[in-house]
């Protein structure tokens, strides 16, 4: 996980989307994060569920590939150890002792088995009813080679995090538990960058678009996320997505 240190923090007077970009202005209901692996035989059903959730307008769905199943004979082509550390951080935050795949984390506050769609839906609805939803407005738009981010007011402090993702990847797996299968993965996370801090007041900032501007990723999500000790991820307070069109 790279932390973006060289920031260009500027006051933005307006948010105007560039040509070829789709900016998410409607506030999503929840962020769902799937931790998965190409080497895990239990994961393909969860990957399919994530694909269904990724097509919903009221959700932001992200897929993180972890590396701890690589010993089974297939090195996941989309995995990084940083995503394994993110999942381990959630395990501490949510009070669990171990990580597992497939795991779906909802708003950084609850989790469920990633292939169990009813449990995931129930977690989304429960958090929404009980104040665990996305309560702080977030807006992000791509303007030229910059991301223009606007965050509303709220309580507490949180990190501003940009998550770059690929819309869709189909991978042929030649070894391991899923050998012989071609599996499609949706909203595959490729990089996570911290870009600033929010302390409850309204905030606007402009940062370089990075992998989005260079064409290395198809979209990005801005998360307003509380971080605990040792940079462990916690509750997500707000989120917005922007996608480039191809």
């Amino acid at each position: 996980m790279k932390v973006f240190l060289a920031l260009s923090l500027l006051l933005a007077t307006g948010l105007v989307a560039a040509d070829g970009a789709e900016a998410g202005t409607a506030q999503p209901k929840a962020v769902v994060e799937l931790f998965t692996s190409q080497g895990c035989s239990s994961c393909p059903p969860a990957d399919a569920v994530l694909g269904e959730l990724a097509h919903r307008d009221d959700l932001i769905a992200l897929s993180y590939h972890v590396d701890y199943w690589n010993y089974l004979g297939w090195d996941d082509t989309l995995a990084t150890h940083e995503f394994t550390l993110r999942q381990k951080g959630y395990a501490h935050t949510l009070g669990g002792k171990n990580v597992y795949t497939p795991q779906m984390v909802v708003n950084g506050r609850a989790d469920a088995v990633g292939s169990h769609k009813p449990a995931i839906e129930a977690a989304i609805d429960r958090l929404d009813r009980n104040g665990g939803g996305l309560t702080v407005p977030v807006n992000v738009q791509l303007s030229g080679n910059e991301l223009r981010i606007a965050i509303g007011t709220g309580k507490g402090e949180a990190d501003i995090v940009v998550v770059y993702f690929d819309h869709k990847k189909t991978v042929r797996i030649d070894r391991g538990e899923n050998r012989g299968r071609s599996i499609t993965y949706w909203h595959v996370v490729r990089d996570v960058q911290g870009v600033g801090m929010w302390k409850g007041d309204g905030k606007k900032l402009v940062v370089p678009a990075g992998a989005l501007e260079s064409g290395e990723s198809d979209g990005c999500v801005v998360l307003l996320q509380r971080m605990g000790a040792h940079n462990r991820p916690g509750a997500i307070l707000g989120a917005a997505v922007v996608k480039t069109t191809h």
Side-chain angles (χ1 to χ4, degrees):
M1 184 186 301
K2 296 185 295 185
V3 178
F4 198 94
L5 298 177
L7 301 179
S8 173
L9 301 179
L10 305 172
L11 286 177
T13 56
L15 296 176
V16 181
D19 292 340
E22 174 191 345
T25 54
Q27 295 301 302
K29 185 176 183 179
V31 175
V32 292
E33 298 174 280
L34 174 66
F35 292 90
T36 185
S37 172
Q38 294 168 10
C40 166
S41 61
S42 301
C43 286
D47 300 318
V49 169
L50 194 281
E52 295 176 20
L53 300 178
H55 286 84
R56 284 178 48 173
D57 293 333
D58 62 336
L59 298 178
I60 291 177
L62 296 168
S63 177
Y64 296 81
H65 284 242
V66 298
D67 65 354
Y68 50 82
W69 293 123
N70 288 356
Y71 77 94
L72 294 176
W74 176 257
D75 287 349
D76 190 309
T77 61
L78 301 170
T80 75
H81 189 61
E82 287 78 10
F83 301 158
T84 297
L85 293 178
R86 182 172 178 84
Q87 187 186 24
K88 288 182 177 179
Y90 272 135
H92 284 278
T93 300
L94 299 175
K97 295 182 179 180
N98 300 306
V99 295
Y100 67 92
T101 56
Q103 181 187 27
M104 194 83 75
V105 177
V106 181
N107 290 351
R109 299 174 183 264
D111 74 316
V113 174
S115 56
H116 193 181
K117 191 175 180 181
I120 297 165
E121 297 277 9
I124 293 170
D125 291 340
R126 182 175 67 254
L127 290 173
D128 192 51
R129 289 194 310 270
N130 298 329
L134 305 181
T135 57
V136 180
V138 177
N139 182 281
V140 58
Q141 296 191 11
L142 177 64
S143 181
N145 61 356
E146 297 174 330
L147 289 175
R148 300 193 171 200
I149 302 168
I151 302 173
T153 60
K155 295 181 179 180
E157 298 183 359
D159 284 14
I160 305 167
V161 180
V162 179
V163 180
Y164 292 98
F165 66 88
D166 291 335
H167 176 64
K168 177 182 177 183
K169 290 285 186 182
T170 299
V171 178
R172 168 78 180 184
I173 300 171
D174 296 326
R175 297 184 303 278
E177 292 187 350
N178 290 316
R179 63 185 176 275
R181 303 184 66 173
S182 290
I183 301 175
T184 298
Y185 302 99
W186 297 89
H187 288 197
V188 179
V189 175
R190 306 313 298 270
D191 192 19
V192 180
Q193 299 179 355
V195 299
M197 287 291 299
W198 172 86
K199 297 185 177 181
D201 52 345
K203 187 179 185 72
K204 293 183 179 181
L205 62 153
V206 177
V207 301
L212 197 63
E213 187 269 335
S214 67
E216 297 175 10
S217 294
D218 300 325
C220 73
V221 173
V222 174
L223 300 177
L224 186 64
Q225 185 165 33
R226 288 181 176 147
M227 306 299 286
H230 307 291
N231 209 35
R232 292 168 181 159
I236 297 174
L237 308 181
V241 62
V242 62
K243 304 175 186 178
T244 59
T245 56
H246 299 281

